[in-house]
Amino acid sequence: MNWRRLMTESDDQFRKRTDECSATPVRRILLGYAANLLGKHSLTHVFISFVLDLLSQETRAVVASIIVPEHERAEAANKGKSAGKKPVRRRQPAALRKMLRKLAESSSCADLAEVRTAAGPGRHVEHSDFLEYVVSCAAELPRLTHSRLATRDVEELLTRAVALELRSQASGSAGAHSEQLDDLKRTFGLCDEALAIVCFLFCYRQSSSFEDLSDSHRAGEYIRLLAVATGVSISRVRRHLGSRGRLEQVGLIERRLGHLGAGFELEEDVVYYLAGLSSGSLAQRYCRADSEPTFALDTFGVPGRQAEVVTALLRSKRPCHILLHGEAGTGKTEFARSVAAAAGLGACFVKEGEKGVASDRKLELHAAVSAVSQDTGLLIMDEADTLLNTEGGHIFGGRVDKGWVNDFMDRSGCAIIWIVNELSAAPPSVRRRFDYSLEFKPFTRRQRAAIWQEVAAESPLKAEITPAMIRELSA
């Protein structure tokens, strides 16, 4: 069994699972993390495994050609120690210096033939997983008494190998960011530091070796790992991941309570989007333009003066918040659509996710706001109970801090109609922020008849619908 062939399987699987299948360049990002961490992270088994997993077949073969023979030589020397042999002085051999220099000079993985020749021919190794064997050798070398490779030598070897991979990646790529990352940054108003943290959390979900590395660190160590890998200071990382940070405020991340390693998780829909598993922009995913026919405003039983006030507010072209509340089935949603049409605005609905919990609604709302034109658009936030009833978390499916609601309403920058069935748990500070509030009471029999008559008038079966049928439907 040729050991070079043994090492190709993991590399090919990794590429297939990341850069070739993902819209976000995971491997390039992880190589950057490895470059930042080398020399600052201890050479643990899980860390070396992470680094080697990123290397191409050619580069990994060179690393193994240096590591494995040296490990075998050191082990043999240790076994002969009891025979009274003189210890070998720890120094960097000439062959290693030559191969490291060649690694530094190579511009691509294809330039490594000479290095492999200098390292010696491939060998047959009886081991079920040679990559795991190389990782073990690299982790043990600095601790072996007779090894000429100290920790700094192994770090230099891995650093040169990662640098070579980065040069090869740069020659065939315009950069480390994808269209999805740019769209994410634009949609949620993220700074570069926050976007870097999002990339880190996304890569955690895409690479098993990187996941193992992250989970091997406890909370405080994990923050430092994230900071060193991304180049963002520890204090800034803590600020971005805090409850008042932008990432949690827009619902991009959620906390994983009781987890020893990565205490934060990227929202599932965002992971799918960055992986290229969903089409269109994020704003389109969470926002649906209304194109259905609407009803006349006088069919809803809303006093004419109140309907005029709502219409005037929407026509003013300034950001405003209008609240429609009342029992289900009282026409709130249809009124919102109709008043938008009367004001000459294009209505867009915030789509509700499958779970419908408060954290998801925050993400949906922020994404939808970015898709609505401030001059000609109107956002309709239907089923907003989980967001506005901040004092009833257990009743309304998750609790949202009222401070978040207040801050969002103050900064939204567009016209929004909020629709809820229940308002009993909405605090006064939230209610005061609405420019106008309109309560919908159950329809009377006359109002139901008027609605049915208007529906019948638009139906292709209107000739078959009799007044008696209207009275029966309205009872």
Side-chain angles (χ1 to χ4, degrees), residues 1 17 56 77 136 140 166 170 175 207 231 253 258 271 338 366 369 384-385 403 462 472:
M1 183 182 297
R17 184 166 52 83
S56 66
S136 300
E140 292 174 4
L166 284 171
S207 167
I253 62 173
V271 174
S338 299
H366 272 283
V369 165
D385 299 75
K462 58 183 177 180
E472 183 177 352

Side-chain angles (χ1 to χ4, degrees), residues 328-441:
T330 52
K332 300 184 297 297
T333 302
E334 291 302 322
F335 177 81
R337 297 177 56 249
S338 299
V339 77
L345 300 177
C348 292
F349 279 88
V350 180
K351 295 182 182 179
E352 185 174 4
E354 295 180 359
K355 293 182 289 185
V357 297
S359 59
D360 289 347
R361 301 250 70 189
K362 289 164 60 176
L363 181 70
E364 296 156 4
L365 184 56
H366 272 283
V369 165
S370 67
V372 175
S373 170
Q374 295 185 9
D375 297 327
T376 61
L378 165 69
L379 198 61
I380 299 177
M381 185 64 180
D382 206 354
E383 304 294 341
D385 299 75
T386 56
L387 290 175
L388 300 185
N389 289 283
T390 62
E391 296 177 349
H394 296 291
I395 299 176
F396 297 101
R399 183 171 183 170
V400 175
D401 177 43
K402 68 177 181 181
W404 177 88
V405 179
N406 294 341
D407 184 68
F408 174 82
M409 295 181 71
D410 291 341
R411 298 171 180 265
S412 61
C414 67
I416 303 177
I417 294 181
W418 303 72
I419 303 175
V420 297
N421 297 329
E422 178 61 51
L423 202 61
S424 60
S429 62
V430 172
R431 299 191 191 198
R432 287 196 300 267
R433 282 173 164 77
F434 287 103
D435 296 88
Y436 199 77
S437 178
L438 188 57
E439 182 180 6
F440 281 70
K441 297 180 180 180

Side-chain angles (χ1 to χ4, degrees), residues 167-388:
R167 288 195 295 273
S168 299
Q169 290 285 318
S171 63
S173 173
H177 291 290
S178 66
E179 293 181 4
Q180 281 78 3
L181 288 173
D182 292 336
D183 181 43
L184 191 74
K185 179 180 180 180
R186 181 173 54 254
T187 299
F188 296 104
L190 303 179
C191 65
D192 291 338
E193 292 180 344
L195 189 66
I197 295 174
V198 168
C199 288
F200 185 95
L201 296 176
F202 172 70
C203 291
Y204 171 86
R205 296 286 300 274
Q206 302 301 302
S207 167
S208 58
S209 61
F210 188 55
E211 180 180 348
D212 292 340
L213 175 64
S214 300
D215 288 347
S216 67
H217 296 73
R218 293 184 177 272
E221 298 171 341
Y222 172 78
I223 295 297
R224 183 176 183 276
L225 173 75
L226 197 160
V228 175
T230 59
V232 181
S233 68
I234 294 179
S235 61
R236 296 289 296 175
V237 168
R238 294 186 185 279
R239 180 174 180 180
H240 286 299
L241 293 177
S243 59
R244 303 298 295 174
R246 182 69 178 171
L247 296 177
E248 188 165 329
Q249 287 290 297
V250 300
L252 280 172
I253 62 173
E254 56 185 4
R255 298 176 183 271
R256 300 167 59 185
L257 299 178
H259 198 275
L260 294 179
F264 303 89
E265 192 170 56
L266 197 60
E267 208 280 332
E268 198 74 18
D269 283 345
V270 177
V271 174
Y272 291 152
Y273 176 69
L274 292 179
L277 299 179
S278 58
S279 59
S281 67
L282 277 172
Q284 293 171 340
R285 180 179 179 85
Y286 294 117
C287 188
R288 173 180 62 84
D290 181 39
S291 58
E292 298 296 323
T294 58
F295 299 100
L297 293 182
D298 57 8
T299 61
F300 291 94
V302 176
R305 178 56 182 166
Q306 294 181 344
E308 290 174 3
V309 171
V310 174
T311 305
L313 284 171
L314 296 179
R315 285 175 176 167
S316 67
K317 307 296 184 182
R318 70 176 184 83
C320 62
H321 297 279
I322 297 170
L323 175 64
L324 307 182
H325 63 99
E327 294 183 16
T330 52
K332 300 184 297 297
T333 302
E334 291 302 322
F335 177 81
R337 297 177 56 249
S338 299
V339 77
L345 300 177
C348 292
F349 279 88
V350 180
K351 295 182 182 179
E352 185 174 4
E354 295 180 359
K355 293 182 289 185
V357 297
S359 59
D360 289 347
R361 301 250 70 189
K362 289 164 60 176
L363 181 70
E364 296 156 4
L365 184 56
H366 272 283
V369 165
S370 67
V372 175
S373 170
Q374 295 185 9
D375 297 327
T376 61
L378 165 69
L379 198 61
I380 299 177
M381 185 64 180
D382 206 354
E383 304 294 341
D385 299 75
T386 56
L387 290 175
L388 300 185

Side-chain angles (χ1 to χ4, degrees), residues 70-149:
E70 175 61 19
H71 182 270
E72 293 174 349
R73 189 208 63 79
E75 276 194 329
N78 283 342
K79 290 179 181 178
K81 184 177 180 180
S82 57
K85 292 184 178 180
K86 184 178 180 181
V88 179
R89 183 181 179 184
R90 188 188 293 269
R91 61 188 178 83
Q92 193 179 82
L96 174 61
R97 291 197 300 272
K98 178 180 179 181
M99 285 182 275
L100 289 175
R101 183 169 60 254
K102 183 60 180 176
L103 277 173
E105 295 171 354
S106 300
S107 60
S108 70
C109 298
D111 298 334
L112 294 177
E114 182 180 338
V115 184
R116 289 200 307 275
T117 301
R123 63 185 62 201
H124 296 275
V125 178
E126 298 298 329
H127 200 279
S128 60
D129 187 349
F130 191 77
L131 180 58
E132 182 69 18
Y133 178 61
V134 175
V135 171
S136 300
C137 291
E140 292 174 4
L141 267 176
R143 295 192 293 271
L144 291 176
T145 306
H146 291 78
S147 173
R148 292 170 296 186
L149 295 182

